[in-house]
Amino acid sequence: KDTPVVQNALSVIQQTLELKNLTELNVDCEQFRHLKEKQTTTLKKFFCDSCKKEIIGQLDWNVHLSSAKHKRIVSRLKRHENLEAYIEQKREEKRKAKRNKAVEGEARGQDEDNANSPIVAGEGD
């Protein structure tokens, strides 16, 4: 059963949804001042690249940035980026080692070719 309190609350909600001015309502406007203030801050949109979420309003943006979920995602992304950088560094070190080995092998091969080549009279004189 709807009590007078529930009926009053439903009336306030209905009138608020219809975007009527809160001062016209027969309620204490101080209770709803934060809602009105929040409405004025919802003009700006933010996008969190880490969480892939659009946030509307400065207040909600600040709440999002300080949330545990956002911080956990950012932390995970940083670890992932550090891991990717570490893996790439190790790959580059392997590529350099391979190139150095190849260069050393070529140098040894040339030395062996020179050592195994017959000396022909008049050559190199």
Side-chain angles (χ1 to χ4, degrees):
K1 294 181 180 179
D2 289 344
T3 64
V5 173
V6 171
Q7 289 174 352
N8 190 24
L10 291 173
S11 172
V12 169
I13 292 169
Q14 183 62 37
Q15 291 177 29
T16 303
L17 290 174
E18 292 172 3
L19 300 176
K20 288 190 175 181
N21 190 345
L22 290 175
T23 56
E24 295 174 7
L25 302 176
N26 188 18
V27 293
D28 181 11
C29 290
E30 289 300 316
Q31 297 174 359
F32 299 98
R33 186 172 306 281
H34 70 280
L35 295 176
K36 190 173 181 181
E37 289 171 0
K38 187 174 178 182
Q39 285 178 343
T40 61
T41 62
T42 59
L43 300 176
K44 193 168 182 180
K45 291 183 180 181
F46 299 90
F47 187 78
C48 179
D49 291 323
S50 302
C51 301
K52 306 294 185 230
K53 283 186 172 185
E54 183 177 64
I55 311 295
I56 300 174
Q58 184 69 48
L59 179 64
D60 290 339
W61 177 247
N62 293 342
V63 168
H64 173 74
L65 292 178
S66 62
S67 71
K69 186 174 182 178
H70 171 78
K71 290 177 182 179
R72 188 173 51 250
I73 289 172
V74 169
S75 176
R76 187 179 307 137
L77 288 172
K78 283 181 181 177
R79 281 195 312 268
H80 183 71
E81 288 171 3
N82 290 342
L83 179 61
E84 283 182 347
Y86 174 78
I87 290 171
E88 184 57 35
Q89 178 186 358
K90 290 298 179 185
R91 285 183 183 153
E92 186 60 32
E93 287 173 5
K94 279 185 178 181
R95 284 191 286 264
K96 284 181 182 178
K98 252 186 184 177
R99 283 194 297 262
N100 289 343
K101 232 180 191 179
V103 169
E104 289 173 7
E106 287 174 9
R108 270 193 235 117
Q110 288 175 356
D111 290 343
E112 289 174 5
D113 287 344
N114 290 340
N116 292 335
S117 65
I119 298 177
V120 178
E123 203 175 281
D125 291 328

